[in-house]
Amino acid sequence: QVQLEESGGGMVQAGDSLRLSCVASGRTASILAMGWFRQAPGKDRQFVAAISRSGTNTRYADSEEGRLTISRDNAKNTIFLQVSSLKPEDTAVYYCAAGGVVSPAWRHYSYWGRGTQVTVSS
């Protein structure tokens, strides 16, 4: 079993930055990749970013135009998502995921956190 717990969400102002965290626990040796997805109200869940176990392989959503940085602290089985220049359209529930492949497809991730709400006000 793998458990994922996100933190760092909340209410922020447009133009601000934030950092989300996700801690993995349990049988973490089976995790080869971790990532972030988000789901805005009335929209499908979308890929945001992913990172390999070593941290050397990263992948980002094309639509974010360089505003994202994903990183990890392997000693603590934790990944981070830094989002800069926040916009109201970034408002969504952000989900942490873990699986076997660095991929934008949700089916490659076997474990999911409960999500953390990010609300960006103008």
Side-chain angles (χ1 to χ4, degrees):
Q1 296 286 337
V2 173
Q3 296 81 42
L4 305 174
E5 185 173 8
E6 305 98 334
S7 62
M11 177 76 75
V12 296
Q13 292 288 326
D16 204 356
S17 299
L18 62 75
R19 188 175 76 161
L20 304 179
S21 300
C22 175
V23 179
S25 60
R27 301 181 67 87
T28 57
S30 65
I31 299 174
L32 299 181
M34 295 180 67
W36 295 92
F37 291 74
R38 70 183 184 185
Q39 188 166 23
K43 297 184 178 180
D44 294 331
R45 188 170 298 186
Q46 296 181 327
F47 172 73
V48 179
I51 188 168
S52 64
R53 185 176 183 86
S54 68
T56 59
N57 185 19
T58 59
R59 187 167 182 172
Y60 298 93
D62 293 339
S63 61
E64 299 305 317
E65 300 179 356
R67 297 189 300 120
L68 306 173
T69 301
I70 189 169
S71 60
R72 69 183 305 149
D73 181 349
N74 285 341
K76 296 185 176 181
N77 291 312
T78 302
I79 65 167
F80 308 94
L81 179 69
Q82 181 75 32
V83 187
S84 63
S85 301
L86 283 160
K87 308 172 183 179
E89 51 262 43
D90 292 321
T91 296
V93 177
Y94 285 71
Y95 296 93
C96 179
V101 181
V102 174
S103 170
W106 64 267
R107 68 180 185 274
H108 290 128
Y109 299 88
S110 300
Y111 306 99
W112 294 84
R114 297 175 63 87
T116 184
Q117 176 71 49
V118 174
T119 302
V120 183
S121 61
S122 60

